Amino acid sequence: MSEPSSTKQAWAEGATLGAAIIMVTVGIVQFFQGIAAVAKDEVFVVGIEYVYKFDLTTWGWIHIVLGVIVAVVGFALFTGAGWARISAIVVAAISIIANFLWIPYYPWWSILIIALDVVVIWAVSTWKPAAV
């Protein structure tokens, strides 16, 4: 195997382990963010109203469920199983969509999570466990 390909795979492997850690952390934080939205609607400031506006309680439950799923898939990603890698890509894509829709409520956090989800998708999709 050539050196550039080996280096790329080493980066992808390290990034995949990082992606697992990111997914677990983001999942836990999204879970608590959802609890905050459900328990106390005044925590979040609503700016401009958008077409895809939901009640904050609804968004809270969406983030609670999504947070649990993201964290569970993140833990499963540590095993390197094929289903966990595919699930991580799908869940990260769903998280991108959910956080895009969440931008009016928490813009900087949403943009950060979208960027981290892109890193997760890149890392998981480029790593070939057998190549390392």
Side-chain angles (χ1 to χ4, degrees):
M1 180 175 281
S2 68
E3 181 64 31
S5 179
S6 176
T7 303
K8 181 181 176 186
Q9 285 303 306
W11 271 98
E13 178 183 16
T16 299
L17 294 177
I21 293 168
I22 289 169
M23 287 186 76
V24 170
T25 305
V26 167
I28 291 169
V29 172
Q30 272 191 322
F31 176 78
F32 287 123
Q33 180 180 357
I35 289 175
V38 169
K40 186 98 172 153
D41 286 347
E42 292 82 27
V43 170
F44 300 101
V45 177
V46 180
I48 301 170
E49 294 202 15
Y50 291 90
V51 174
Y52 45 85
K53 181 181 179 192
F54 289 127
D55 177 57
L56 279 176
T57 303
T58 304
W59 273 117
W61 283 108
I62 289 170
H63 281 285
I64 288 171
V65 171
L66 187 59
V68 169
I69 293 170
V70 168
V72 167
V73 171
F75 279 120
L77 194 56
F78 282 113
T79 67
W83 70 269
R85 293 176 63 212
I86 292 168
S87 298
I89 292 170
V90 171
V91 168
I94 292 169
S95 178
I96 287 172
I97 294 167
N99 280 287
F100 174 77
L101 298 174
W102 181 247
I103 285 177
Y105 302 98
Y106 214 169
W108 291 108
W109 175 254
S110 297
I111 292 168
L112 173 67
I113 298 304
I114 289 169
L116 291 173
D117 285 334
V118 169
V119 170
V120 167
I121 291 171
W122 172 82
V124 173
S125 63
T126 58
W127 180 42
K128 298 174 191 155
V132 176

PDB file of all heavy atoms in Angstrom, residues 6-34:
ATOM      1  N   SER A   6      -1.993   5.051   2.975  1.00  0.00           N
ATOM      2  CA  SER A   6      -1.875   4.576   4.345  1.00  0.00           C
ATOM      3  C   SER A   6      -2.067   5.728   5.332  1.00  0.00           C
ATOM      4  O   SER A   6      -2.715   5.575   6.361  1.00  0.00           O
ATOM      5  CB  SER A   6      -0.509   3.925   4.544  1.00  0.00           C
ATOM      6  OG  SER A   6      -0.348   3.544   5.879  1.00  0.00           O
ATOM      7  N   THR A   7      -1.494   6.865   5.007  1.00  0.00           N
ATOM      8  CA  THR A   7      -1.644   8.039   5.860  1.00  0.00           C
ATOM      9  C   THR A   7      -3.096   8.486   5.908  1.00  0.00           C
ATOM     10  O   THR A   7      -3.624   8.818   6.979  1.00  0.00           O
ATOM     11  CB  THR A   7      -0.756   9.194   5.346  1.00  0.00           C
ATOM     12  OG1 THR A   7       0.592   8.749   5.295  1.00  0.00           O
ATOM     13  CG2 THR A   7      -0.865  10.413   6.237  1.00  0.00           C
ATOM     14  N   LYS A   8      -3.736   8.479   4.753  1.00  0.00           N
ATOM     15  CA  LYS A   8      -5.147   8.871   4.703  1.00  0.00           C
ATOM     16  C   LYS A   8      -5.994   7.927   5.547  1.00  0.00           C
ATOM     17  O   LYS A   8      -6.885   8.360   6.278  1.00  0.00           O
ATOM     18  CB  LYS A   8      -5.646   8.869   3.254  1.00  0.00           C
ATOM     19  CG  LYS A   8      -7.092   9.284   3.120  1.00  0.00           C
ATOM     20  CD  LYS A   8      -7.560   9.247   1.676  1.00  0.00           C
ATOM     21  CE  LYS A   8      -9.027   9.568   1.609  1.00  0.00           C
ATOM     22  NZ  LYS A   8      -9.562   9.417   0.257  1.00  0.00           N
ATOM     23  N   GLN A   9      -5.708   6.624   5.473  1.00  0.00           N
ATOM     24  CA  GLN A   9      -6.465   5.649   6.253  1.00  0.00           C
ATOM     25  C   GLN A   9      -6.200   5.821   7.752  1.00  0.00           C
ATOM     26  O   GLN A   9      -7.104   5.661   8.564  1.00  0.00           O
ATOM     27  CB  GLN A   9      -6.130   4.216   5.815  1.00  0.00           C
ATOM     28  CG  GLN A   9      -6.767   3.838   4.499  1.00  0.00           C
ATOM     29  CD  GLN A   9      -8.281   3.988   4.555  1.00  0.00           C
ATOM     30  OE1 GLN A   9      -8.937   3.444   5.423  1.00  0.00           O
ATOM     31  NE2 GLN A   9      -8.823   4.750   3.629  1.00  0.00           N
ATOM     32  N   ALA A  10      -4.987   6.141   8.115  1.00  0.00           N
ATOM     33  CA  ALA A  10      -4.675   6.379   9.530  1.00  0.00           C
ATOM     34  C   ALA A  10      -5.447   7.586  10.042  1.00  0.00           C
ATOM     35  O   ALA A  10      -6.002   7.563  11.145  1.00  0.00           O
ATOM     36  CB  ALA A  10      -3.169   6.577   9.710  1.00  0.00           C
ATOM     37  N   TRP A  11      -5.501   8.647   9.235  1.00  0.00           N
ATOM     38  CA  TRP A  11      -6.291   9.824   9.604  1.00  0.00           C
ATOM     39  C   TRP A  11      -7.764   9.465   9.722  1.00  0.00           C
ATOM     40  O   TRP A  11      -8.456   9.893  10.651  1.00  0.00           O
ATOM     41  CB  TRP A  11      -6.113  10.935   8.563  1.00  0.00           C
ATOM     42  CG  TRP A  11      -4.962  11.827   8.861  1.00  0.00           C
ATOM     43  CD1 TRP A  11      -3.705  11.742   8.323  1.00  0.00           C
ATOM     44  CD2 TRP A  11      -4.931  12.924   9.765  1.00  0.00           C
ATOM     45  NE1 TRP A  11      -2.902  12.719   8.836  1.00  0.00           N
ATOM     46  CE2 TRP A  11      -3.637  13.460   9.729  1.00  0.00           C
ATOM     47  CE3 TRP A  11      -5.872  13.504  10.598  1.00  0.00           C
ATOM     48  CZ2 TRP A  11      -3.264  14.556  10.497  1.00  0.00           C
ATOM     49  CZ3 TRP A  11      -5.498  14.598  11.360  1.00  0.00           C
ATOM     50  CH2 TRP A  11      -4.211  15.108  11.301  1.00  0.00           C
ATOM     51  N   ALA A  12      -8.261   8.698   8.756  1.00  0.00           N
ATOM     52  CA  ALA A  12      -9.677   8.319   8.775  1.00  0.00           C
ATOM     53  C   ALA A  12      -9.985   7.444   9.980  1.00  0.00           C
ATOM     54  O   ALA A  12     -11.043   7.580  10.601  1.00  0.00           O
ATOM     55  CB  ALA A  12     -10.050   7.607   7.476  1.00  0.00           C
ATOM     56  N   GLU A  13      -9.067   6.529  10.334  1.00  0.00           N
ATOM     57  CA  GLU A  13      -9.291   5.684  11.507  1.00  0.00           C
ATOM     58  C   GLU A  13      -9.333   6.524  12.779  1.00  0.00           C
ATOM     59  O   GLU A  13     -10.233   6.375  13.607  1.00  0.00           O
ATOM     60  CB  GLU A  13      -8.189   4.633  11.623  1.00  0.00           C
ATOM     61  CG  GLU A  13      -8.355   3.751  12.849  1.00  0.00           C
ATOM     62  CD  GLU A  13      -7.231   2.749  13.018  1.00  0.00           C
ATOM     63  OE1 GLU A  13      -6.174   2.902  12.384  1.00  0.00           O
ATOM     64  OE2 GLU A  13      -7.422   1.802  13.803  1.00  0.00           O
ATOM     65  N   GLY A  14      -8.371   7.413  12.912  1.00  0.00           N
ATOM     66  CA  GLY A  14      -8.356   8.287  14.083  1.00  0.00           C
ATOM     67  C   GLY A  14      -9.582   9.193  14.119  1.00  0.00           C
ATOM     68  O   GLY A  14     -10.185   9.406  15.175  1.00  0.00           O
ATOM     69  N   ALA A  15      -9.968   9.683  12.957  1.00  0.00           N
ATOM     70  CA  ALA A  15     -11.150  10.543  12.888  1.00  0.00           C
ATOM     71  C   ALA A  15     -12.425   9.756  13.192  1.00  0.00           C
ATOM     72  O   ALA A  15     -13.376  10.297  13.753  1.00  0.00           O
ATOM     73  CB  ALA A  15     -11.247  11.206  11.524  1.00  0.00           C
ATOM     74  N   THR A  16     -12.457   8.469  12.835  1.00  0.00           N
ATOM     75  CA  THR A  16     -13.627   7.654  13.137  1.00  0.00           C
ATOM     76  C   THR A  16     -13.761   7.442  14.642  1.00  0.00           C
ATOM     77  O   THR A  16     -14.860   7.518  15.186  1.00  0.00           O
ATOM     78  CB  THR A  16     -13.555   6.298  12.405  1.00  0.00           C
ATOM     79  OG1 THR A  16     -13.519   6.552  11.001  1.00  0.00           O
ATOM     80  CG2 THR A  16     -14.755   5.439  12.720  1.00  0.00           C
ATOM     81  N   LEU A  17     -12.652   7.193  15.318  1.00  0.00           N
ATOM     82  CA  LEU A  17     -12.706   7.091  16.776  1.00  0.00           C
ATOM     83  C   LEU A  17     -13.099   8.443  17.374  1.00  0.00           C
ATOM     84  O   LEU A  17     -13.883   8.507  18.324  1.00  0.00           O
ATOM     85  CB  LEU A  17     -11.365   6.617  17.330  1.00  0.00           C
ATOM     86  CG  LEU A  17     -10.984   5.188  16.948  1.00  0.00           C
ATOM     87  CD1 LEU A  17      -9.604   4.841  17.476  1.00  0.00           C
ATOM     88  CD2 LEU A  17     -12.020   4.203  17.444  1.00  0.00           C
ATOM     89  N   GLY A  18     -12.570   9.501  16.798  1.00  0.00           N
ATOM     90  CA  GLY A  18     -12.990  10.836  17.220  1.00  0.00           C
ATOM     91  C   GLY A  18     -14.465  11.063  16.944  1.00  0.00           C
ATOM     92  O   GLY A  18     -15.175  11.675  17.745  1.00  0.00           O
ATOM     93  N   ALA A  19     -14.940  10.551  15.797  1.00  0.00           N
ATOM     94  CA  ALA A  19     -16.358  10.680  15.449  1.00  0.00           C
ATOM     95  C   ALA A  19     -17.231   9.960  16.465  1.00  0.00           C
ATOM     96  O   ALA A  19     -18.306  10.453  16.828  1.00  0.00           O
ATOM     97  CB  ALA A  19     -16.607  10.125  14.047  1.00  0.00           C
ATOM     98  N   ALA A  20     -16.774   8.814  16.935  1.00  0.00           N
ATOM     99  CA  ALA A  20     -17.536   8.087  17.949  1.00  0.00           C
ATOM    100  C   ALA A  20     -17.627   8.915  19.229  1.00  0.00           C
ATOM    101  O   ALA A  20     -18.700   9.031  19.832  1.00  0.00           O
ATOM    102  CB  ALA A  20     -16.891   6.731  18.226  1.00  0.00           C
ATOM    103  N   ILE A  21     -16.519   9.511  19.613  1.00  0.00           N
ATOM    104  CA  ILE A  21     -16.504  10.356  20.809  1.00  0.00           C
ATOM    105  C   ILE A  21     -17.391  11.580  20.597  1.00  0.00           C
ATOM    106  O   ILE A  21     -18.167  11.962  21.479  1.00  0.00           O
ATOM    107  CB  ILE A  21     -15.062  10.776  21.160  1.00  0.00           C
ATOM    108  CG1 ILE A  21     -14.256   9.547  21.588  1.00  0.00           C
ATOM    109  CG2 ILE A  21     -15.037  11.851  22.244  1.00  0.00           C
ATOM    110  CD1 ILE A  21     -12.763   9.768  21.678  1.00  0.00           C
ATOM    111  N   ILE A  22     -17.302  12.190  19.420  1.00  0.00           N
ATOM    112  CA  ILE A  22     -18.144  13.347  19.097  1.00  0.00           C
ATOM    113  C   ILE A  22     -19.613  12.966  19.162  1.00  0.00           C
ATOM    114  O   ILE A  22     -20.434  13.691  19.723  1.00  0.00           O
ATOM    115  CB  ILE A  22     -17.781  13.915  17.704  1.00  0.00           C
ATOM    116  CG1 ILE A  22     -16.423  14.605  17.741  1.00  0.00           C
ATOM    117  CG2 ILE A  22     -18.864  14.880  17.206  1.00  0.00           C
ATOM    118  CD1 ILE A  22     -15.874  14.963  16.364  1.00  0.00           C
ATOM    119  N   MET A  23     -19.958  11.809  18.575  1.00  0.00           N
ATOM    120  CA  MET A  23     -21.363  11.399  18.558  1.00  0.00           C
ATOM    121  C   MET A  23     -21.894  11.167  19.969  1.00  0.00           C
ATOM    122  O   MET A  23     -23.015  11.570  20.289  1.00  0.00           O
ATOM    123  CB  MET A  23     -21.548  10.153  17.701  1.00  0.00           C
ATOM    124  CG  MET A  23     -21.424  10.431  16.219  1.00  0.00           C
ATOM    125  SD  MET A  23     -21.823   9.004  15.212  1.00  0.00           S
ATOM    126  CE  MET A  23     -23.603   9.009  15.346  1.00  0.00           C
ATOM    127  N   VAL A  24     -21.118  10.532  20.808  1.00  0.00           N
ATOM    128  CA  VAL A  24     -21.555  10.293  22.186  1.00  0.00           C
ATOM    129  C   VAL A  24     -21.742  11.623  22.916  1.00  0.00           C
ATOM    130  O   VAL A  24     -22.772  11.857  23.561  1.00  0.00           O
ATOM    131  CB  VAL A  24     -20.554   9.383  22.936  1.00  0.00           C
ATOM    132  CG1 VAL A  24     -20.868   9.334  24.414  1.00  0.00           C
ATOM    133  CG2 VAL A  24     -20.565   7.988  22.338  1.00  0.00           C
ATOM    134  N   THR A  25     -20.772  12.513  22.778  1.00  0.00           N
ATOM    135  CA  THR A  25     -20.852  13.813  23.454  1.00  0.00           C
ATOM    136  C   THR A  25     -22.025  14.638  22.932  1.00  0.00           C
ATOM    137  O   THR A  25     -22.808  15.189  23.716  1.00  0.00           O
ATOM    138  CB  THR A  25     -19.538  14.592  23.259  1.00  0.00           C
ATOM    139  OG1 THR A  25     -18.460  13.783  23.717  1.00  0.00           O
ATOM    140  CG2 THR A  25     -19.558  15.900  24.007  1.00  0.00           C
ATOM    141  N   VAL A  26     -22.160  14.726  21.619  1.00  0.00           N
ATOM    142  CA  VAL A  26     -23.259  15.498  21.023  1.00  0.00           C
ATOM    143  C   VAL A  26     -24.601  14.889  21.402  1.00  0.00           C
ATOM    144  O   VAL A  26     -25.564  15.611  21.687  1.00  0.00           O
ATOM    145  CB  VAL A  26     -23.083  15.591  19.492  1.00  0.00           C
ATOM    146  CG1 VAL A  26     -24.346  16.088  18.823  1.00  0.00           C
ATOM    147  CG2 VAL A  26     -21.924  16.503  19.154  1.00  0.00           C
ATOM    148  N   GLY A  27     -24.680  13.573  21.417  1.00  0.00           N
ATOM    149  CA  GLY A  27     -25.929  12.917  21.801  1.00  0.00           C
ATOM    150  C   GLY A  27     -26.341  13.260  23.218  1.00  0.00           C
ATOM    151  O   GLY A  27     -27.511  13.567  23.483  1.00  0.00           O
ATOM    152  N   ILE A  28     -25.381  13.240  24.127  1.00  0.00           N
ATOM    153  CA  ILE A  28     -25.682  13.564  25.523  1.00  0.00           C
ATOM    154  C   ILE A  28     -26.101  15.025  25.654  1.00  0.00           C
ATOM    155  O   ILE A  28     -27.086  15.346  26.326  1.00  0.00           O
ATOM    156  CB  ILE A  28     -24.468  13.251  26.430  1.00  0.00           C
ATOM    157  CG1 ILE A  28     -24.266  11.735  26.495  1.00  0.00           C
ATOM    158  CG2 ILE A  28     -24.638  13.847  27.814  1.00  0.00           C
ATOM    159  CD1 ILE A  28     -22.950  11.307  27.131  1.00  0.00           C
ATOM    160  N   VAL A  29     -25.378  15.927  24.986  1.00  0.00           N
ATOM    161  CA  VAL A  29     -25.719  17.346  25.060  1.00  0.00           C
ATOM    162  C   VAL A  29     -27.071  17.611  24.404  1.00  0.00           C
ATOM    163  O   VAL A  29     -27.880  18.386  24.921  1.00  0.00           O
ATOM    164  CB  VAL A  29     -24.602  18.207  24.437  1.00  0.00           C
ATOM    165  CG1 VAL A  29     -25.019  19.657  24.332  1.00  0.00           C
ATOM    166  CG2 VAL A  29     -23.326  18.088  25.253  1.00  0.00           C
ATOM    167  N   GLN A  30     -27.362  16.957  23.268  1.00  0.00           N
ATOM    168  CA  GLN A  30     -28.670  17.131  22.633  1.00  0.00           C
ATOM    169  C   GLN A  30     -29.788  16.618  23.545  1.00  0.00           C
ATOM    170  O   GLN A  30     -30.863  17.208  23.593  1.00  0.00           O
ATOM    171  CB  GLN A  30     -28.730  16.406  21.283  1.00  0.00           C
ATOM    172  CG  GLN A  30     -28.242  17.253  20.154  1.00  0.00           C
ATOM    173  CD  GLN A  30     -28.547  16.647  18.806  1.00  0.00           C
ATOM    174  OE1 GLN A  30     -28.475  15.440  18.621  1.00  0.00           O
ATOM    175  NE2 GLN A  30     -28.878  17.492  17.868  1.00  0.00           N
ATOM    176  N   PHE A  31     -29.522  15.541  24.248  1.00  0.00           N
ATOM    177  CA  PHE A  31     -30.501  15.014  25.200  1.00  0.00           C
ATOM    178  C   PHE A  31     -30.829  16.068  26.259  1.00  0.00           C
ATOM    179  O   PHE A  31     -31.996  16.359  26.526  1.00  0.00           O
ATOM    180  CB  PHE A  31     -29.956  13.737  25.845  1.00  0.00           C
ATOM    181  CG  PHE A  31     -30.845  13.164  26.900  1.00  0.00           C
ATOM    182  CD1 PHE A  31     -31.961  12.432  26.550  1.00  0.00           C
ATOM    183  CD2 PHE A  31     -30.570  13.351  28.242  1.00  0.00           C
ATOM    184  CE1 PHE A  31     -32.795  11.896  27.526  1.00  0.00           C
ATOM    185  CE2 PHE A  31     -31.381  12.827  29.228  1.00  0.00           C
ATOM    186  CZ  PHE A  31     -32.509  12.090  28.859  1.00  0.00           C
ATOM    187  N   PHE A  32     -29.791  16.674  26.843  1.00  0.00           N
ATOM    188  CA  PHE A  32     -30.016  17.700  27.868  1.00  0.00           C
ATOM    189  C   PHE A  32     -30.623  18.969  27.272  1.00  0.00           C
ATOM    190  O   PHE A  32     -31.418  19.649  27.917  1.00  0.00           O
ATOM    191  CB  PHE A  32     -28.724  18.006  28.626  1.00  0.00           C
ATOM    192  CG  PHE A  32     -28.327  16.909  29.560  1.00  0.00           C
ATOM    193  CD1 PHE A  32     -27.088  16.303  29.456  1.00  0.00           C
ATOM    194  CD2 PHE A  32     -29.205  16.465  30.542  1.00  0.00           C
ATOM    195  CE1 PHE A  32     -26.726  15.277  30.314  1.00  0.00           C
ATOM    196  CE2 PHE A  32     -28.845  15.441  31.409  1.00  0.00           C
ATOM    197  CZ  PHE A  32     -27.599  14.844  31.297  1.00  0.00           C
ATOM    198  N   GLN A  33     -30.267  19.286  26.038  1.00  0.00           N
ATOM    199  CA  GLN A  33     -30.868  20.430  25.355  1.00  0.00           C
ATOM    200  C   GLN A  33     -32.357  20.185  25.169  1.00  0.00           C
ATOM    201  O   GLN A  33     -33.170  21.099  25.350  1.00  0.00           O
ATOM    202  CB  GLN A  33     -30.182  20.616  24.010  1.00  0.00           C
ATOM    203  CG  GLN A  33     -30.690  21.760  23.183  1.00  0.00           C
ATOM    204  CD  GLN A  33     -29.942  21.862  21.859  1.00  0.00           C
ATOM    205  OE1 GLN A  33     -29.005  21.119  21.586  1.00  0.00           O
ATOM    206  NE2 GLN A  33     -30.359  22.789  21.041  1.00  0.00           N
ATOM    207  N   GLY A  34     -32.726  18.964  24.816  1.00  0.00           N
ATOM    208  CA  GLY A  34     -34.135  18.611  24.677  1.00  0.00           C
ATOM    209  C   GLY A  34     -34.873  18.712  25.990  1.00  0.00           C
ATOM    210  O   GLY A  34     -36.003  19.211  26.048  1.00  0.00           O
TER     211      GLY A  34
END
